[in-house]
DNA sequence: GTACTCTATAACTATCTAGTTTTAGAAAGA
DNA sequence: TCTTTCTAAAACTAGATAGTTATAGAGTAC
């Protein structure tokens, strides 16, 4: 894979096991054993996935006794989101805000433990975005 | 790679060539030859990248004469953004809105042709998000 | 020091990836 | 029809990826 940061981050996210690990880590730090528990996969396999996440900057690690704690680092996810957001106006037809979209998505297929508590009210604002599409 | 949609999308984005293709397609439809021009890479290589993008649902194609037009489909990017946004409150320390962050990013390292025209004003609002972090 | 626990590394396999060059096929033009 | 243009497919290569089992090493407890 390409070694630039964005490629590493997207590459790390391109695996359901690693995405699941991130979701778990969003609840708090965890040891390798704790992280491996839900998966029908060997411990070294999980260690490798953690290494991929670490290389992408999505996880940092510390020692606690004989165990190693993994901790979520969300910074790179911001960069990834920023990249994606350039395309926002291609799919956001009605210009609703991202967190409102999110709220809707969560309402439709079950809110994960992570989500903010309440849906916020729509804020009306003008927008002079030039919609350029087509050749 | 895993075959679920999200994995395909993130996997497609995990390559700088493919991200560049998407950026180009954001300006409008293009033929394979047009897309291949800026790259020092063979035409079949570009065709393969386009196939990856197509499999991820990021591109649809149509025929025009002897050429094939590729068109950006941003829908899957919304899903990817939605996944990422679950981590928003991990990096969005001061709770600024995504598009404001974007504006700042664009201001700092050069606005791409894609971006909305103006930075919008900060809207003050309350937020009762429960910040849950740590074990 | 010895035993135990937790995790990383080594070594290996199978599969996927990204690229190449060459070739075939489809559509348009003369 | 014959030629040209544009793109996809075939066949191949090198290297990365995701998993395995077995083992080594580091830290704690005794």
């Amino acid at each position: 894979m390409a070694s630039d940061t964005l490629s590493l981050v997207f590459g790390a996210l391109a695996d359901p096991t690693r995405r699941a690990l991130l979701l778990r880590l969003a609840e708090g730090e965890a040891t390798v054993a704790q992280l491996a528990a839900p998966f029908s996969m060997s411990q070294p396999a999980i260690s490798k996935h953690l290494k991929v996440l670490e290389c992408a900057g999505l996880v940092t690690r510390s020692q606690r006794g004989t165990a190693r704690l993994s901790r979520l680092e969300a910074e790179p996810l911001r960069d990834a989101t920023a990249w994606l957001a350039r395309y926002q106006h291609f799919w956001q037809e009605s210009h609703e805000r991202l967190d409102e979209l999110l709220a809707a998505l969560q309402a439709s297929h079950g809110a994960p433990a992570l989500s903010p508590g309440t849906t916020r009210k729509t804020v009306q604002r003008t927008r002079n975005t030039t919609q350029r599409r087509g050749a």
Side-chain angles (χ1 to χ4, degrees), chain A:
Chain A
M1 184 188 312
S3 56
D4 61 284
T5 308
L6 213 44
S7 297
L8 288 176
V9 173
F10 281 132
L13 297 179
D15 183 288
T17 302
R18 288 194 289 263
R19 290 198 303 277
L21 288 173
L22 288 182
L23 278 179
R24 168 60 186 82
L25 288 175
E27 296 173 10
E29 298 183 328
T31 68
V32 175
Q34 287 170 335
L35 290 169
F39 299 96
S40 56
M41 201 179 292
S42 67
Q43 167 263 311
I46 298 295
S47 281
K48 283 190 186 181
H49 280 305
L50 286 172
K51 194 170 195 173
V52 173
L53 292 171
E54 194 177 9
C55 287
L58 290 165
V59 152
T60 52
R61 324 188 66 176
S62 59
Q63 201 81 25
R64 186 182 62 182
T66 168
R68 290 188 76 184
L69 287 179
S70 294
R71 176 189 181 86
L72 174 66
E73 295 294 333
E75 195 80 0
L77 296 178
R78 187 193 56 187
D79 305 335
T81 305
W83 191 90
L84 284 167
R86 307 163 85 159
Y87 297 90
Q88 229 175 338
H89 54 288
F90 280 94
W91 44 262
Q92 221 169 25
E93 303 293 359
S94 50
H95 305 302
E96 74 268 27
R97 297 216 326 269
L98 177 61
D99 48 9
E100 286 159 7
L101 167 77
L102 244 208
L105 283 174
Q106 287 167 352
S108 63
H109 45 75
L114 264 178
S115 61
T118 30
T119 305
R120 286 165 298 285
K121 298 195 71 160
T122 304
V123 177
Q124 198 67 23
R125 58 210 157 80
T126 56
R127 186 150 182 167
N128 58 353
T129 304
T130 350
Q131 193 81 352
R132 32 161 99 196
R133 185 114 182 219

